[in-house]
Amino acid sequence: MDRQSLIKKFDKQAKKYNKRRKNDQAYKFRQRIFKEAKGKVLEVGIGSGLNFPFYSSDIELTGLDFSEAMLKSAQNAAKDYPFKTTLIQDDVETIEFNENSFDTIISSGSLCAYQEPVSVLNSFQKWCKPEGRILMLEHGISTNKPLAWLQKSLNPLALKVIGCHQNRDISDIVKKSNLMLIREERYFAGYLYLIWAKP
């Protein structure tokens, strides 16, 4: 799928994502992992700002998304939070940041949409300070075999309709990258991945 088509799909979903800020089934998992964000924080695929409630007041947040509609939602949401927020409309697969720019890098439900997810994680490794952390909450292939079969069957349709792969093995993607995996937790029949990693 070409990038413009993908961007349009996420533009159309912006209102739905905005409503999820107060009614998100992954709320407690977001809280569990993203409260650990510190210092200069980069959140890629920031969407409508679903993770804002979990950030401490003293961070400096840079939010990246290729969807203008998502960023408008995030900009409105950011007014309700005390931390400094800078939003950038660009594509994580092509943007360049200086090496060692961030203390924390956040990825939340975005690995499903990248053409080259391993390359994206390798960029995280470059952009993150050596003593920093990469925190991820992603969905991927389930450990439940019938559910995994269903995910594989529905993947072409999901990709066409919402621009999102359902059957990616997030653990494998992390292992193939240059990141150092610290901890992994799985929930919802292994469908939801919480990943703590270092550059």
Side-chain angles (χ1 to χ4, degrees):
M1 182 183 301
D2 69 86
R3 298 311 269 175
Q4 285 308 117
S5 298
L6 191 61
I7 290 167
K8 283 178 184 174
K9 288 186 188 304
F10 281 92
D11 281 343
K12 286 178 183 175
Q13 296 174 68
K15 286 182 182 175
K16 183 179 78 172
Y17 273 73
N18 201 33
K19 288 176 184 173
R20 278 176 53 195
R21 191 178 301 104
K22 292 178 182 174
N23 186 26
D24 178 37
Q25 64 176 357
Y27 189 97
K28 68 178 180 179
F29 302 108
R30 292 178 189 278
Q31 186 176 39
R32 174 165 171 69
I33 190 166
F34 296 139
K35 67 181 181 181
E36 297 184 24
K38 290 180 172 62
K40 291 188 175 180
V41 178
L42 171 66
E43 182 176 350
V44 301
I46 196 167
S48 62
L50 288 177
N51 297 318
F52 288 177
F54 316 117
Y55 293 147
S56 61
S57 59
D58 59 350
I59 67 158
E60 287 181 40
L61 179 65
T62 300
L64 179 69
D65 208 296
F66 58 22
S67 165
E68 183 180 4
M70 289 285 193
L71 285 176
K72 282 181 181 174
S73 290
Q75 195 162 28
N76 285 332
K79 295 170 187 172
D80 297 331
Y81 297 93
F83 45 81
K84 181 185 173 188
T85 304
T86 304
L87 298 174
I88 301 169
Q89 185 181 353
D90 211 323
D91 189 335
V92 69
E93 297 202 64
T94 55
I95 196 171
E96 287 294 333
F97 290 106
N98 291 331
E99 289 188 19
N100 308 326
S101 290
F102 301 99
D103 299 290
T104 311
I105 297 180
I106 302 283
S107 175
S108 168
S110 59
L111 277 185
C112 61
Y114 303 139
Q115 291 176 348
E116 300 290 341
V118 174
S119 294
V120 171
L121 296 188
N122 288 342
S123 292
F124 292 178
Q125 190 261 338
K126 288 190 292 185
W127 300 337
C128 192
K129 294 177 183 177
E131 68 282 5
R133 65 189 74 194
I134 294 101
L135 306 173
M136 295 184 277
L137 179 149
E138 303 290 348
H139 69 83
I141 197 74
S142 171
T143 49
N144 177 285
K145 287 185 179 177
L147 182 55
W149 178 87
L150 187 64
Q151 287 176 286
K152 289 172 184 173
S153 301
L154 292 175
N155 193 61
L157 180 65
L159 197 56
K160 186 176 180 180
V161 175
I162 57 173
C164 178
H165 288 273
Q166 300 298 303
N167 63 347
R168 286 190 165 165
D169 185 334
I170 304 303
S171 305
D172 189 54
I173 290 169
V174 173
K175 286 170 187 168
K176 285 178 178 173
S177 77
N178 296 330
L179 298 183
M180 183 187 302
L181 179 65
I182 303 301
R183 187 160 97 245
E184 175 185 291
E185 296 177 8
R186 304 277 288 273
Y187 299 94
F188 298 144
Y191 163 84
L192 186 71
Y193 297 66
L194 271 62
I195 305 267
W196 288 257
K198 290 175 67 175

